[in-house]
Amino acid sequence: MSDTLTLDGEGPLHQQIRRAIAGPILSGAWAPGRRIPSEHDLMARFGVSRMTVNRALAGLAGEGLVERRRKAGTVVAARRAERAVFEIWDVAAEIARSGAAHLAEILRREEGPATPEEAAALRAAPGRPVLRLTLLHRADGAAVQLEERLVDLGAAPEIRHETFAEVTPGRWLLERVPWSEAEHRIGAAAASGAVARHLGIAKGGACLVVERRTWRGATAITHVRLTSPAGAQVLVGRFRPEG
């Protein structure tokens, strides 16, 4: 079982160590209950003080990714990604849990340099290579969500080869690209003409909109806008208390 951990060189050392450990936890490479390297091991391999290691582990514990146990050391928490303040949500899984059949239709897929507007959405530099995706998610044939996503190809180059025939873009990213920070915004919006046509509702109809950005350190991974008709039986995010 490999304990290979690499610092990304971005920001304070305690944050780099936190991200290095979070990576294999969030990707599933380190299973719940697995012991992570000891404090002394982390101090030796990264050449840092015990205080720095403690700050990193305290951050991971606060996010619900690890559990610090007396005598037993620090282990991967039983519920890792789900313990984030906002769950990184998978529409296909939510639809399946409701008992309906999920189908995702790719409406748009193209690569190119990020426009100034796209760079602002990703909070990245203009011109970075991005993948643009628009998908329509259906539950038992009914349109329940329009997904408009930008992916920074510098952060996730392998995504350009994925067909998304068996996995949604969000799930693909969660399983393969470790993230360290996430931001969510939820609001209401009136459906534009294009959105209304895709969702099969009247133009100006009420919609629930979720915007999400994720980063690894200072590097943007993705920005997505998820639009669902008001009343659609789709859960778009959950808060969970700490502890």
Side-chain angles (χ1 to χ4, degrees), residues 7-242:
L7 302 186
D8 56 26
E10 299 174 353
L13 281 170
H14 74 276
Q15 293 183 5
Q16 293 186 48
I17 294 170
R18 178 176 62 81
R19 291 194 294 269
I21 297 171
I25 296 174
L26 292 168
S27 70
W30 290 5
R34 183 194 193 282
R35 290 188 63 181
I36 70 167
S38 69
E39 291 186 8
H40 290 295
D41 185 2
L42 294 171
M43 289 165 59
R45 74 171 66 189
F46 296 128
V48 298
S49 68
R50 186 166 190 170
M51 180 180 294
T52 297
V53 170
N54 266 317
R55 289 187 70 183
L57 296 179
L60 291 164
E63 294 169 339
L65 296 177
V66 303
E67 295 177 2
R68 306 182 73 177
R69 300 174 179 172
R70 293 186 64 182
K71 299 184 179 181
T74 303
V75 300
V76 177
R79 303 180 67 180
R80 43 194 195 284
E82 293 84 355
R83 292 293 298 273
V85 173
F86 249 120
E87 186 175 81
I88 299 299
W89 168 77
D90 179 6
V91 62
E94 291 295 338
I95 290 172
R97 277 194 284 270
S98 75
H102 170 258
L103 177 67
E105 177 186 355
I106 298 178
L107 305 178
R108 181 193 187 200
R109 178 178 187 148
E110 63 180 39
E111 296 181 27
T115 65
E117 293 78 11
E118 291 170 337
L122 279 169
R123 296 181 184 168
R128 284 186 65 83
V130 297
L131 174 64
R132 305 177 183 95
L133 292 167
T134 302
L135 294 89
L136 182 63
H137 296 277
R138 298 180 182 275
D140 284 347
V144 295
Q145 185 183 90
L146 184 67
E147 174 179 346
E148 300 169 279
R149 182 181 295 273
L150 291 170
V151 181
D152 188 319
L153 290 172
E158 294 303 315
I159 199 170
R160 56 166 45 103
H161 306 301
E162 176 58 49
T163 64
F164 304 114
E166 297 181 357
V167 64
T168 62
R171 175 55 59 183
W172 190 96
L173 288 166
L174 179 61
E175 292 177 347
R176 293 167 177 80
V177 185
W179 56 276
S180 59
E181 308 290 339
E183 174 188 279
H184 291 70
R185 294 185 179 183
I186 298 179
S192 66
V195 169
R197 285 193 299 274
H198 289 312
L199 294 176
I201 61 177
K203 181 179 179 180
C207 292
L208 181 66
V209 178
V210 175
E211 287 192 70
R212 180 170 68 234
R213 294 177 180 85
T214 55
W215 295 267
R216 185 177 186 185
T219 302
I221 298 173
T222 188
H223 169 267
V224 64
R225 181 180 173 91
L226 308 170
T227 305
S228 301
Q233 297 301 306
V234 178
L235 184 62
V236 294
R238 291 197 282 260
F239 282 110
R240 293 184 184 275
E242 293 293 342

